[in-house]
Coordinates of all heavy atoms in Angstrom, one line a residue:
G42 N -2.0 29.9 26.2 CA -2.3 31.2 25.6 C -1.2 31.9 25.0 O -1.2 32.4 23.9
I43 N -0.1 32.1 25.8 CA 1.0 33.0 25.4 C 2.3 32.4 25.9 O 2.4 32.0 27.0 CB 0.8 34.4 26.0 CG1 -0.5 35.0 25.5 CG2 1.9 35.3 25.5 CD1 -0.8 36.3 26.2
A44 N 3.3 32.4 25.0 CA 4.7 32.0 25.5 C 5.6 33.2 25.1 O 5.4 33.8 24.1 CB 5.2 30.8 24.8
M45 N 6.5 33.5 26.0 CA 7.4 34.7 25.8 C 8.8 34.2 25.6 O 9.3 33.3 26.3 CB 7.2 35.7 27.0 CG 5.8 36.0 27.4 SD 4.8 36.6 26.0 CE 5.8 38.1 25.6
M46 N 9.6 34.9 24.8 CA 11.0 34.6 24.6 C 11.8 35.9 24.5 O 11.4 36.7 23.7 CB 11.2 33.7 23.3 CG 12.7 33.4 23.1 SD 12.9 32.5 21.6 CE 11.9 31.0 21.9
A47 N 12.8 36.0 25.3 CA 13.6 37.2 25.2 C 14.5 37.1 24.0 O 15.1 36.1 23.8 CB 14.5 37.3 26.5
V48 N 14.7 38.2 23.3 CA 15.5 38.1 22.1 C 16.6 39.2 22.1 O 17.2 39.4 21.1 CB 14.6 38.2 20.8 CG1 13.7 37.1 20.7 CG2 13.9 39.6 20.8
G49 N 16.8 39.9 23.2 CA 17.8 40.9 23.2 C 17.4 42.1 24.1 O 16.3 42.2 24.6
L50 N 18.3 43.0 24.2 CA 18.1 44.2 25.0 C 18.0 45.4 24.1 O 18.7 45.5 23.1 CB 19.2 44.4 26.0 CG 19.4 43.4 27.1 CD1 20.6 43.7 27.9 CD2 18.2 43.3 28.0
T51 N 17.1 46.3 24.5 CA 16.9 47.5 23.7 C 16.5 48.7 24.5 O 15.8 48.5 25.5 CB 15.9 47.3 22.5 OG1 15.8 48.6 21.8 CG2 14.5 47.0 23.1
A52 N 16.9 49.9 24.2 CA 16.5 51.0 25.0 C 15.1 51.5 24.6 O 14.4 52.1 25.3 CB 17.5 52.2 24.8
G53 N 14.8 51.2 23.3 CA 13.5 51.6 22.8 C 13.4 53.1 22.7 O 14.0 53.9 23.3
S54 N 12.5 53.6 21.8 CA 12.3 55.0 21.6 C 10.8 55.2 21.3 O 10.1 54.4 20.7 CB 13.1 55.5 20.5 OG 12.8 54.9 19.3
A55 N 10.3 56.3 21.8 CA 8.9 56.6 21.6 C 8.5 56.8 20.1 O 9.3 57.4 19.4 CB 8.5 57.9 22.4
S56 N 7.4 56.3 19.7 CA 7.0 56.4 18.3 C 6.0 57.6 18.2 O 5.3 57.9 19.1 CB 6.3 55.1 17.9 OG 5.7 55.3 16.6
A57 N 6.1 58.2 17.1 CA 5.2 59.3 16.8 C 3.8 58.8 16.5 O 2.8 59.6 16.6 CB 5.7 60.2 15.7
K58 N 3.7 57.6 16.1 CA 2.3 57.0 15.7 C 1.5 56.9 17.0 O 2.0 56.5 18.0 CB 2.5 55.7 15.0 CG 3.1 55.7 13.6 CD 2.9 54.4 12.9 CE 3.6 53.3 13.6 NZ 3.5 52.0 12.8
P59 N 0.2 57.1 16.8 CA -0.7 56.8 18.0 C -0.6 55.3 18.4 O -0.3 54.5 17.5 CB -2.1 57.1 17.4 CG -1.9 58.0 16.3 CD -0.6 57.6 15.7
L60 N -0.9 55.1 19.6 CA -0.7 53.7 20.2 C -1.6 52.7 19.5 O -1.1 51.6 19.1 CB -1.0 53.7 21.7 CG -0.9 52.4 22.4 CD1 0.5 51.8 22.2 CD2 -1.2 52.6 23.9
L61 N -2.8 53.0 19.2 CA -3.7 52.1 18.5 C -3.2 51.7 17.2 O -3.2 50.5 16.7 CB -5.1 52.6 18.5 CG -6.1 51.7 17.8 CD1 -6.2 50.4 18.5 CD2 -7.5 52.4 17.8
E62 N -2.7 52.7 16.4 CA -2.1 52.4 15.1 C -0.9 51.5 15.2 O -0.7 50.6 14.4 CB -1.7 53.8 14.4 CG -1.2 53.6 13.0 CD -0.9 54.9 12.4 OE1 -1.3 56.0 12.9 OE2 -0.1 54.9 11.4
R63 N -0.1 51.7 16.2 CA 1.1 50.9 16.4 C 0.7 49.5 16.7 O 1.3 48.5 16.2 CB 2.0 51.5 17.5 CG 2.7 52.8 17.1 CD 3.4 53.4 18.3 NE 4.3 52.4 18.9 CZ 4.6 52.4 20.2 NH1 4.0 53.3 21.1 NH2 5.4 51.5 20.7
I64 N -0.3 49.3 17.5 CA -0.8 47.9 17.9 C -1.3 47.3 16.6 O -1.0 46.1 16.3 CB -1.9 48.0 18.9 CG1 -1.3 48.5 20.3 CG2 -2.6 46.7 19.1 CD1 -2.4 48.8 21.3
R65 N -2.1 47.9 15.8 CA -2.7 47.3 14.6 C -1.7 47.1 13.5 O -1.8 46.2 12.7 CB -3.8 48.2 14.1 CG -5.0 48.2 15.0 CD -6.1 49.2 14.5 NE -7.3 49.1 15.3 CZ -8.3 49.9 15.3 NH1 -8.3 51.0 14.5 NH2 -9.4 49.7 16.0
D66 N -0.5 47.8 13.6 CA 0.6 47.6 12.6 C 1.5 46.5 13.1 O 2.5 46.2 12.4 CB 1.3 48.9 12.4 CG 0.6 50.0 11.6 OD1 -0.4 49.6 11.0 OD2 1.0 51.1 11.6
G67 N 1.3 46.0 14.3 CA 2.1 44.9 14.8 C 3.4 45.4 15.3 O 4.4 44.6 15.5
D68 N 3.5 46.7 15.7 CA 4.7 47.2 16.3 C 4.9 46.7 17.7 O 4.0 46.1 18.4 CB 4.6 48.7 16.4 CG 4.6 49.4 15.0 OD1 4.9 48.6 14.0 OD2 4.4 50.6 14.9
T69 N 6.1 46.8 18.3 CA 6.5 46.4 19.6 C 5.8 47.4 20.6 O 6.0 48.6 20.5 CB 8.0 46.4 19.8 OG1 8.6 45.4 19.0 CG2 8.3 46.0 21.3
I70 N 5.1 46.9 21.6 CA 4.5 47.7 22.6 C 5.2 47.4 24.0 O 5.5 46.3 24.4 CB 3.0 47.2 22.8 CG1 2.3 47.3 21.4 CG2 2.3 48.1 23.8 CD1 2.3 48.7 20.8
R71 N 5.6 48.5 24.6 CA 6.4 48.5 25.8 C 5.5 48.4 27.1 O 4.7 49.3 27.3 CB 7.3 49.7 25.9 CG 8.3 49.8 24.8 CD 8.8 51.2 24.6 NE 7.8 52.1 24.3 CZ 7.9 53.4 24.2 NH1 9.1 54.0 24.5 NH2 6.9 54.2 23.9
L72 N 5.6 47.3 27.8 CA 4.8 47.0 29.0 C 5.6 47.3 30.3 O 6.6 46.7 30.5 CB 4.3 45.6 29.0 CG 3.7 45.0 27.7 CD1 3.3 43.6 27.8 CD2 2.6 45.9 27.2
G73 N 5.1 48.2 31.1 CA 5.8 48.6 32.3 C 5.2 47.9 33.5 O 4.0 47.8 33.7
F74 N 6.1 47.4 34.4 CA 5.7 46.8 35.6 C 6.9 46.8 36.6 O 8.0 47.0 36.2 CB 5.1 45.4 35.4 CG 5.9 44.5 34.7 CD1 6.8 43.6 35.3 CD2 5.8 44.4 33.3 CE1 7.5 42.7 34.5 CE2 6.6 43.5 32.5 CZ 7.5 42.7 33.1
S75 N 6.6 46.5 37.9 CA 7.7 46.5 38.9 C 8.1 45.2 39.3 O 8.7 45.0 40.4 CB 7.2 47.4 40.1 OG 6.1 46.8 40.7
N76 N 7.9 44.2 38.5 CA 8.4 42.8 38.7 C 7.8 42.2 40.0 O 8.6 41.8 40.9 CB 9.9 42.8 38.8 CG 10.5 41.5 38.2 OD1 9.9 40.9 37.3 ND2 11.6 41.1 38.7
G77 N 6.5 42.2 40.2 CA 5.9 41.7 41.4 C 4.8 40.6 41.1 O 3.8 41.0 40.6
P78 N 5.1 39.3 41.5 CA 4.0 38.3 41.3 C 2.9 38.7 42.3 O 3.1 39.3 43.3 CB 4.7 37.1 41.8 CG 6.2 37.4 41.7 CD 6.3 38.8 42.0
P79 N 1.6 38.3 41.9 CA 1.3 37.5 40.8 C 0.8 38.3 39.6 O 0.4 37.8 38.6 CB 0.1 36.6 41.3 CG -0.6 37.6 42.2 CD 0.5 38.4 42.9
F80 N 0.8 39.7 39.7 CA 0.3 40.5 38.6 C 1.2 40.6 37.4 O 0.8 40.3 36.3 CB 0.1 42.0 39.2 CG -1.1 42.2 40.0 CD1 -1.1 42.1 41.4 CD2 -2.3 42.4 39.4 CE1 -2.2 42.2 42.1 CE2 -3.5 42.6 40.1 CZ -3.4 42.5 41.5
A81 N 2.5 40.9 37.6 CA 3.4 41.0 36.4 C 4.8 40.9 36.9 O 5.3 41.6 37.8 CB 3.2 42.4 35.8
Y82 N 5.6 40.0 36.2 CA 7.0 39.8 36.6 C 7.7 39.0 35.5 O 7.0 38.4 34.6 CB 7.1 39.0 37.9 CG 6.5 37.7 38.0 CD1 7.3 36.5 37.9 CD2 5.1 37.5 38.1 CE1 6.7 35.2 38.0 CE2 4.5 36.2 38.2 CZ 5.3 35.1 38.1 OH 4.7 33.9 38.2
L83 N 9.0 39.0 35.5 CA 9.8 38.2 34.5 C 10.2 36.9 35.1 O 10.6 36.8 36.3 CB 11.0 39.0 34.2 CG 10.9 40.1 33.2 CD1 12.3 40.8 32.9 CD2 10.3 39.7 31.9
G84 N 10.1 35.8 34.3 CA 10.5 34.5 34.7 C 12.0 34.3 34.5 O 12.7 35.2 34.1
E85 N 12.4 33.1 34.8 CA 13.9 32.8 34.7 C 14.4 33.0 33.3 O 15.6 33.3 33.2 CB 14.1 31.3 35.2 CG 13.8 31.1 36.7 CD 14.1 29.7 37.1 OE1 14.5 28.9 36.2 OE2 13.9 29.4 38.3
N86 N 13.6 32.7 32.3 CA 14.1 32.9 31.0 C 13.5 34.1 30.3 O 13.3 34.2 29.1 CB 13.7 31.6 30.1 CG 14.3 30.4 30.6 OD1 15.5 30.3 30.9 ND2 13.5 29.3 30.8
N87 N 13.3 35.2 31.2 CA 12.8 36.4 30.7 C 11.4 36.3 30.1 O 11.0 37.1 29.2 CB 13.7 37.1 29.7 CG 15.0 37.7 30.4 OD1 14.9 38.2 31.5 ND2 16.1 37.7 29.7
E88 N 10.7 35.3 30.6 CA 9.3 35.2 30.1 C 8.4 36.2 30.9 O 8.6 36.5 32.0 CB 8.7 33.8 30.5 CG 9.3 32.7 29.7 CD 8.7 31.3 30.1 OE1 8.8 31.0 31.3 OE2 8.1 30.7 29.2

Side-chain angles (χ1 to χ4, degrees):
I43 303 172
M45 311 303 301
M46 179 183 299
V48 296
L50 298 175
T51 177
S54 60
S56 170
K58 289 194 297 185
L60 179 56
L61 181 57
E62 184 178 342
R63 292 173 52 211
I64 293 171
R65 289 174 173 170
D66 287 347
D68 293 351
T69 298
I70 305 302
R71 297 160 299 173
L72 311 182
F74 52 94
S75 61
N76 215 30
F80 280 95
Y82 60 104
L83 282 182
E85 293 182 358
N86 297 315
N87 286 325
E88 291 180 301

